[in-house]
Amino acid sequence: MQSRRHERVRELLKRELSSILLREFPVSEAGLLTVNEVALAGDLQSAVVYVGIVGSPEQQRQGLAALNQDRKSVV
């Protein structure tokens, strides 16, 4: 079972990322981007963010391209 702190951090990340997506990506171009889930590592050092894109197929392509462009991946 995850700790209370882990759950609070996960929910805070989800809320903050949602507001950033709304502010930074125009709905008319990238569709409506939503944060569906945030999976945090046990040590809180990394996270996987699951997003959804609502819009036309073209908006979905543009939204995914914009997210991939701004994505940070650690190998």
Side-chain angles (χ1 to χ4, degrees):
M1 184 171 172
Q2 296 174 348
S3 70
R4 200 165 184 64
R5 178 174 182 238
H6 190 273
E7 286 299 315
R8 285 195 317 258
V9 170
R10 188 180 65 77
E11 285 299 318
L12 178 62
L13 275 173
K14 189 175 175 180
R15 195 174 26 226
E16 289 299 316
L17 288 171
S18 293
S19 67
I20 290 169
L21 290 177
L22 282 173
R23 185 175 61 240
E24 299 294 326
F25 296 97
V27 174
S28 61
E29 293 176 18
L32 180 62
L33 299 167
T34 61
V35 177
N36 295 333
E37 187 62 47
V38 174
L40 275 177
D43 61 0
L44 305 177
Q45 294 293 313
S46 62
V48 176
V49 180
Y50 298 93
V51 297
I53 305 173
V54 178
S56 70
E58 181 59 30
Q59 287 175 321
Q60 291 176 354
R61 279 192 288 280
Q62 288 180 356
L64 185 59
L67 287 173
N68 283 330
Q69 178 182 350
D70 294 338
R71 178 177 87 166
K72 178 179 180 179
S73 51
V74 179
V75 178

